[in-house]
Amino acid sequence: GTLSTWSGTFSLANCSAQCAPGCDAEMQVSGECHSECNVASCGYDSACTDKLVANMYEAKWRALTGQQGDAMSLLWSDCNGYKDSGSTMQGSLARHACAAHANLKNGRTYNGWEGNEVGSLQWEQYKVLANQHTAAVCRYEEQLETNDLMTVTALSVDQARALIDDHIDHDLLRLEDIVEGREDRVDESVTANMEAIHSNARVLKEVANELRQMEAQILDNQDIMRSILYEFELVKTEMLEMQEEILNFTAKMEGGQGWDDDNDHQVSTDETVSMLIELGTFDPEAIALTSAWLAEA
């Protein structure tokens, strides 16, 4: 079929460069989160939602790598900052951050498990996340189209009308293409997306297995380190004992006493044997022979 040609005019009398006080079109497409734009009248700032998603993955990685303090700080900030947000997506992410923070605070893993284990993401959970992200992408596209139209306010009325006409003509052409038989492309796109989702699920399972192996290696390394520390403490104890013996020997020599235990200014046979024993010069058998020989002499 054919579509009729549209003609008419638009009135821009009530257009405003700001969708909310302090939020202009440039701020909405800057890619940075602005609290002024994160309100219902501006469709909520998509950059704030992106920031929440990025913080969620960053906190999860830090929790898995032993940085619980940093992970809890990120989660607590998002939990408090967005739990009352009017955006369904932002509110859901904030509640997720609150739950994960409570898990880490109570000594559990990010996902609430008691032990150091990593489980694969179930298909139903992955499906929910995929639908949420798909919906977010659709909202971003709508927001970009809205932002594009908002820039019109900076142009003259004639330029604005010409730009709107171009948008309408472009949309009409796209609609004609769809009416004439583009449904098959939608089916192909759905099939491709499902294949991509299944592929991502397999990748997530592989990552989970690799994380389990990494955790096992970490535990093995911890056992090795404990063994090394135990041997180090033994050597340290022996060194301290040797140091004490050296200090005693030095003090005895510096004090001018030598091994004259009875202070008669002479070193007797017994005192000589005592000296050799303390210095570790002779083994027990050699000491016995030396003592006998000195006694006969």
Side-chain angles (χ1 to χ4, degrees):
T2 60
L3 299 174
S4 61
T5 303
W6 178 90
S7 64
T9 60
F10 289 99
S11 174
L12 301 179
N14 296 324
C15 286
S16 171
Q18 295 184 343
C19 58
C23 178
D24 55 32
E26 183 177 354
M27 292 172 66
Q28 291 190 66
V29 296
S30 67
E32 297 181 3
C33 177
H34 298 284
S35 59
E36 299 88 347
C37 302
N38 195 34
V39 293
S41 60
C42 298
Y44 296 100
D45 196 335
S46 60
C48 296
T49 304
D50 293 341
K51 178 183 175 183
L52 278 170
V53 174
N55 285 350
M56 179 183 71
Y57 285 110
E58 179 67 19
K60 190 169 188 177
W61 172 250
R62 293 190 180 186
L64 285 172
T65 54
Q67 305 176 65
Q68 272 75 9
D70 293 341
M72 290 175 65
S73 178
L74 272 175
L75 293 168
W76 185 247
S77 175
D78 290 346
C79 173
N80 281 335
Y82 294 89
K83 63 183 179 182
D84 296 325
S85 172
S87 166
T88 302
M89 173 67 78
Q90 292 179 9
S92 176
L93 291 171
R95 289 190 294 274
H96 178 89
C98 294
H101 179 273
N103 289 335
L104 294 177
K105 183 178 180 181
N106 293 322
R108 295 190 293 271
T109 64
Y110 181 97
N111 291 320
W113 297 317
E114 295 294 340
N116 291 326
E117 57 177 323
V118 178
S120 60
L121 189 64
Q122 298 299 318
W123 165 243
E124 290 300 323
Q125 295 174 298
Y126 185 87
K127 182 179 179 181
V128 171
L129 287 176
N131 290 338
Q132 289 177 346
H133 286 293
T134 301
V137 170
C138 293
R139 287 197 299 273
Y140 297 162
E141 290 179 349
E142 294 173 0
Q143 187 65 45
L144 287 174
E145 291 179 1
T146 301
N147 294 339
D148 190 20
L149 290 174
M150 288 179 64
T151 59
V152 172
T153 57
L155 307 174
S156 66
V157 173
D158 292 336
Q159 289 174 315
R161 289 174 177 172
L163 182 60
I164 292 173
D165 287 340
D166 289 340
H167 276 288
I168 292 175
D169 290 340
H170 177 68
D171 289 340
L172 288 174
L173 290 174
R174 289 175 57 193
L175 183 59
E176 286 180 338
D177 289 338
I178 293 173
V179 171
E180 290 173 357
R182 296 295 180 89
E183 293 84 359
D184 56 331
R185 292 191 178 183
V186 174
D187 293 337
E188 292 175 0
S189 176
V190 170
T191 302
N193 287 336
M194 290 300 298
E195 291 175 354
I197 290 172
H198 287 299
S199 177
N200 289 338
R202 289 192 296 270
V203 171
L204 287 172
K205 290 181 180 179
E206 292 174 1
V207 171
N209 290 332
E210 291 177 1
L211 287 174
R212 289 193 188 95
Q213 294 175 2
M214 289 175 60
E215 289 180 348
Q217 292 177 357
I218 290 172
L219 292 175
D220 290 340
N221 290 338
Q222 288 177 346
D223 291 337
I224 293 172
M225 288 301 298
R226 281 194 288 268
S227 177
I228 292 174
L229 288 173
Y230 176 74
E231 293 178 1
F232 172 78
E233 290 298 328
L234 291 178
V235 173
K236 180 180 177 181
T237 301
E238 293 177 359
M239 292 296 294
L240 291 174
E241 291 175 356
M242 291 178 62
Q243 184 180 21
E244 185 177 358
E245 291 176 2
I246 292 171
L247 291 174
N248 292 336
F249 171 78
T250 303
K252 208 165 190 181
M253 295 301 296
E254 290 179 351
Q257 296 178 359
W259 275 267
D260 186 12
D261 297 328
D262 55 5
N263 295 323
D264 62 352
H265 304 291
Q266 294 181 357
V267 180
S268 65
T269 300
D270 292 336
E271 291 170 341
T272 300
V273 172
S274 175
M275 175 187 70
L276 295 174
I277 292 173
E278 288 189 32
L279 293 176
T281 305
F282 289 158
D283 57 22
E285 184 178 354
I287 292 172
L289 293 174
T290 302
S291 299
W293 177 75
L294 290 172
E296 291 177 0

